[in-house]
Amino acid sequence: MAAQILFFLLATVAIAAGLGMLLSRNPVGSALWLVLNLFCIAGLYLTLNAEFIAVVQILVYAGAIMVLFLFVIMLLNLDVLPEIKDIEWKKVFGFTLGMGVLGLLSFVVASSLDILPNEISARRAAEVGSATSLGEVLFTQYALPLEVIGILLLAATIGAVMLAKRKPV
Amino acid sequence: MDLTQSFSSLGADIIVSAPLVLTMVMGLVIVVLDAFRRNHVATPWIAALTLAFGLVMEITRIGAASGTAYYDLLRVGGMAAYVNALIFGSGLLTVILARPYLESIGHHIGEVYALILFASTGMIVLGTANSLITIFVGFETMSICLYILTGLVRTNQGATESALKYFLLGAFATGFLLYGIALMYGATGTMYLHEMQSAVGDHQTMFRSGVGLLLVGFLFKVSAVPFHMWTPDVYQGAPTPLVGYMSTASKSAAFASLILVLYLALPSTQWIGVVAVIALLTMVIGNVIALAQTNVKRMLAYSSIAHAGYILVGLAAGSPEGYSGALFYLLVYTVMNIGAFGVIALLEWDGTQGSEQSLDSLSGIGYKKPLLAWSMVFFMFGLAGFPPLGGFIGKVAVFGPAIHSGLTWLAIVGVLTSAVSAYYYLRVLVVFFMKESNPDVATDNITFSVPGMSAAVIVLCVIMLIVLGIVPTFLDVTASFFDGNMLATLP
């Protein structure tokens, strides 16, 4: 029960933050709304026992990528967008209703065709989604690809610096 | 999971794959060294010694039984050792050829050698991959390093353009490859090549779509028609000795991986037609367009497309004999192409890195630089496939199995297009020896010297080419990889 309440709470805030991002007239404001949205999604992952993805979501998206966004926004010196004049509430209502019906119908069709993904028990999810189990696999079975990807990223970094920065010797 | 046991098995794997690990680590060493001692004289030698060590290690293991390492992600010994030896060998020759060249164009940067080592790492992972994961990781590592090496000369507009082209098209090819991998995994539920055939079950359509997309990725890398568009531009724009590296080592890795995929994962009857048609198109289009080229590097680029076609003929045969022929052809091709690009690199005296140099500007050079020109004679006859050079045996090794598999029409087209190719290969020699120096181009004033190490590499390539042509034992070596023990050693 608590999990469901938490889900609806987080989902509502996530949707509200998404709307806020779209409707905010200030680019920096938009970016901050998006951060809130990403945090809520991370919370949803937590309720699904996928702790690793939740942490990565915050570290990578809310942390690194958003900082990058903010830098770009500030460097480009974007103007404040013009105010939204008149919203046609009828259309908004119609769109929301239409999407809701579409979602419901697709669910019904999908479940009748039996193509919905199987439900994963909470215990299994906790086993697979934890950082411990992921780390164990990454550093034993997939140790070689992991290291080679490290080399790949290093080479890409070196290349970016070499091509963009280095003056002819 | 018992971690202690896992780590001890990883430790054993590191020893088995020592050349690969060493290449990675020495690449890092060069990066760190270059940060403190910029463009230190020792940098190229560190890279060369690493590659030489790897070459020797792998050559000693060619005769060993093949096995797997890193939880079956990578193959070692046997065919894998042979492919690695090819990659290390072409890397080593390239490093020796590239050092004086990069110095002369003012781009002697330490990172280049680190990138060559990293690219070799990627190629080895790709060429010996036993799983779709390692294929993808190796493919990407190799590609990224090659994009950077292509755009090395930033001040040259052609180089920048070709690097961007290569990068954009290559990114698309990677996308295709990844999508193919996803579909293949979806259809079979396994990433391991040797488990795929039995695990396909009733997901045939999905599996075949995946294989198709995977093939697109591979065919792009080996520059087969119709995925060849990037090749002439990239080969024309990139620094010449590095083009030799790109065209040989990356092709060896991609073809070796393709052979493993075809041999282990795909029942041969289904894709034989596709590969045969692509081989046909590649041979015809590569050779015909090469006829019209005036720039030497562009001509060699189309010739390398045509050679990818010849190798695909061996793959289309779909028999162990064909695969071993293709592997042998890769060795011959490596020797010839490294040598040819090395000679062209040394003959670039106009300072445009060969991107604008026309064939006519080299007329009469044969009497001024006899060593280079006579080496070129061997490489050109080898590429055209004249006996008794290695190129001839290579063509026999790929066309013969195709005839045995009933693809006589393909072999006939192959032989005819080889005859066509003789025209543009021999034209180089005509220009070198039989034309008067062009009065507009002051070839009389050319004062460049040939560095001793580079000359040694080119002479070595010539000797290898002759040896490969008259000593046929190498073909038995590649044939021994497919004696049936390759599948037997798998778990």
Side-chain angles (χ1 to χ4, degrees):
Chain A
M1 192 61 204
Q4 280 187 357
I5 294 172
L6 208 58
F7 169 78
F8 281 110
L9 191 71
L10 286 168
T12 319
V13 178
I15 292 173
L19 284 176
M21 188 208 115
L22 285 175
L23 297 177
S24 166
R25 296 294 87 192
N26 182 340
V28 177
S30 273
L32 291 176
W33 278 115
L34 186 57
V35 171
L36 179 60
N37 176 282
L38 293 172
F39 266 101
C40 290
I41 306 246
L44 285 180
Y45 286 139
L46 269 186
T47 63
L48 295 173
N49 284 321
E51 43 177 282
F52 179 76
I53 300 184
V55 173
V56 166
Q57 167 93 0
I58 291 177
L59 280 181
V60 175
Y61 283 92
I65 293 184
M66 282 318 297
V67 170
L68 210 65
F69 272 11
L70 281 176
F71 264 112
V72 172
I73 289 169
M74 287 172 178
L75 287 178
L76 287 182
N77 205 6
L78 293 178
D79 290 332
V80 172
L81 295 169
E83 285 296 325
I84 302 172
K85 293 263 163 51
D86 35 23
I87 300 172
E88 287 187 56
W89 287 107
K90 266 187 202 165
K91 274 192 183 170
V92 171
F93 183 68
F95 181 77
T96 319
L97 208 64
M99 290 316 274
V101 171
L102 180 70
L104 195 65
L105 283 179
S106 349
F107 175 74
V108 171
V109 169
S111 57
S112 69
L113 289 176
D114 202 22
I115 51 176
L116 286 179
N118 297 330
E119 214 168 295
I120 293 176
S121 71
R123 221 176 102 217
R124 173 103 180 99
E127 274 170 21
V128 180
S130 73
T132 320
S133 59
L134 199 76
E136 268 182 16
V137 179
L138 268 187
F139 284 98
T140 54
Q141 192 179 354
Y142 295 110
L144 176 81
L146 184 76
E147 297 300 326
V148 178
I149 285 177
I151 295 285
L152 162 67
L153 292 178
L154 177 69
T157 317
I158 292 174
V161 175
M162 247 171 79
L163 295 185
K165 191 83 200 314
R166 193 145 198 170
K167 299 276 181 296
V169 188
Chain B
M1 192 183 282
D2 185 9
L3 283 182
T4 327
Q5 198 195 341
S6 306
F7 284 137
S8 66
S9 92
L10 274 183
D13 288 340
I14 286 177
I15 295 168
V16 170
S17 65
L20 170 67
V21 176
L22 191 78
T23 315
M24 258 194 265
V25 173
M26 292 316 273
L28 295 176
V29 167
I30 289 181
V31 170
V32 175
L33 175 73
D34 200 64
F36 290 101
R37 295 292 214 63
R38 213 170 136 180
N39 305 336
H40 195 268
V41 262
T43 315
W45 299 114
I46 295 176
L49 281 178
T50 310
L51 292 166
F53 173 79
L55 178 65
V56 172
M57 278 281 283
E58 296 293 359
I59 285 178
T60 57
R61 291 201 302 191
I62 285 178
S66 69
T68 56
Y70 297 106
Y71 294 85
D72 297 339
L73 288 173
L74 214 64
R75 306 186 68 87
V76 290
M79 173 182 161
Y82 175 81
V83 173
N84 290 352
L86 273 185
I87 294 166
F88 280 125
S90 78
L92 174 64
L93 298 184
T94 305
V95 166
I96 297 172
L97 283 172
R99 193 189 56 87
Y101 182 85
L102 293 175
E103 270 170 2
S104 73
I105 63 170
H107 274 80
H108 188 249
I109 306 171
E111 280 92 349
V112 172
Y113 302 101
L115 284 171
I116 289 179
L117 289 186
F118 290 155
S120 304
T121 308
M123 287 167 188
I124 290 168
V125 173
L126 172 66
T128 61
N130 194 37
S131 139
L132 293 176
I133 290 187
T134 25
I135 286 183
F136 177 71
V137 172
F139 192 91
E140 218 21 33
T141 309
M142 167 181 101
S143 306
I144 293 277
C145 294
L146 294 186
Y147 303 149
I148 301 164
L149 291 177
T150 306
L152 186 64
V153 187
R154 189 162 63 110
T155 44
N156 183 338
Q157 213 177 1
T160 316
E161 182 201 328
S162 68
L164 186 66
K165 227 177 232 174
Y166 194 14
F167 171 66
L168 292 178
L169 292 175
F172 270 106
T174 306
F176 278 109
L177 183 92
L178 194 56
Y179 198 18
I181 289 175
L183 287 182
M184 285 170 85
Y185 178 67
T188 60
T190 174
M191 283 281 185
Y192 290 106
L193 295 178
H194 58 277
E195 290 173 0
M196 291 212 150
Q197 230 176 93
S198 52
V200 180
D202 52 353
H203 301 291
Q204 281 290 344
T205 319
M206 200 203 227
F207 185 67
R208 282 186 204 172
S209 330
V211 170
L213 291 169
L214 187 84
L215 281 182
V216 171
F218 274 119
L219 292 175
F220 174 86
K221 261 296 148 227
V222 302
S223 61
V225 175
F227 312 105
H228 66 290
M229 298 297 182
W230 57 276
T231 319
D233 290 330
V234 169
Y235 284 16
Q236 191 180 9
T240 314
L242 298 178
V243 176
Y245 179 62
M246 279 175 215
S247 68
T248 55
S250 78
K251 256 184 203 167
S252 304
F255 266 119
S257 183
L258 188 56
I259 288 172
L260 283 176
V261 170
L262 296 180
Y263 185 65
L264 295 176
L266 304 178
S268 60
T269 46
Q270 292 170 2
W271 48 266
I272 216 166
V274 180
V275 178
V277 169
I278 288 177
L280 175 83
L281 284 175
T282 310
M283 287 188 297
V284 171
I285 292 183
N287 278 317
V288 169
I289 300 184
L291 291 175
Q293 302 305 317
T294 51
N295 179 292
V296 192
K297 278 169 84 180
R298 251 186 126 73
M299 186 274 277
L300 283 175
Y302 280 106
S303 121
S304 102
I305 295 174
H307 283 271
Y310 301 142
I311 299 171
L312 281 173
V313 172
L315 265 58
S319 57
E321 200 190 356
Y323 296 139
S324 76
L327 285 176
F328 176 76
Y329 200 101
L330 282 171
L331 170 62
V332 179
Y333 173 75
T334 301
V335 170
M336 292 187 295
N337 239 30
I338 293 251
F341 276 107
V343 171
I344 294 298
L346 289 169
L347 288 179
E348 278 167 17
W349 46 269
D350 60 351
T352 56
Q353 286 108 45
S355 55
E356 284 155 31
Q357 192 173 36
S358 70
L359 190 54
D360 288 334
S361 74
L362 293 171
S363 50
I365 202 94
Y367 299 103
K368 299 197 181 68
K369 295 283 163 196
L371 173 73
L372 295 182
W374 279 103
S375 311
M376 201 64 170
V377 171
F378 283 97
F379 298 136
M380 289 295 124
F381 274 108
L383 285 165
F386 276 77
L389 297 171
F392 174 71
I393 305 286
K395 285 208 171 107
V396 172
V398 290
F399 292 154
I403 294 173
H404 293 169
S405 303
L407 295 168
T408 317
W409 53 276
L410 193 60
I412 290 175
V413 174
V415 172
L416 287 180
T417 49
S418 312
V420 170
S421 75
Y423 170 74
Y424 60 83
Y425 288 128
L426 300 189
R427 194 179 55 177
V428 173
L429 305 181
V430 170
V431 171
F432 273 22
F433 287 103
M434 293 172 203
K435 273 201 179 170
E436 290 296 310
S437 309
N438 191 341
D440 300 338
V441 190
T443 29
D444 292 333
N445 306 334
I446 305 171
T447 50
F448 59 91
S449 59
V450 179
M453 293 294 282
S454 305
V457 167
I458 285 165
V459 170
L460 180 71
C461 285
V462 172
I463 294 170
M464 289 270 295
L465 189 57
I466 298 171
V467 169
L468 286 172
I470 51 183
V471 184
T473 46
F474 291 93
L475 205 50
D476 302 335
V477 172
T478 56
S480 70
F481 302 145
F482 297 94
D483 280 344
N485 58 0
M486 189 152 92
L487 286 166
T489 51
L490 290 169

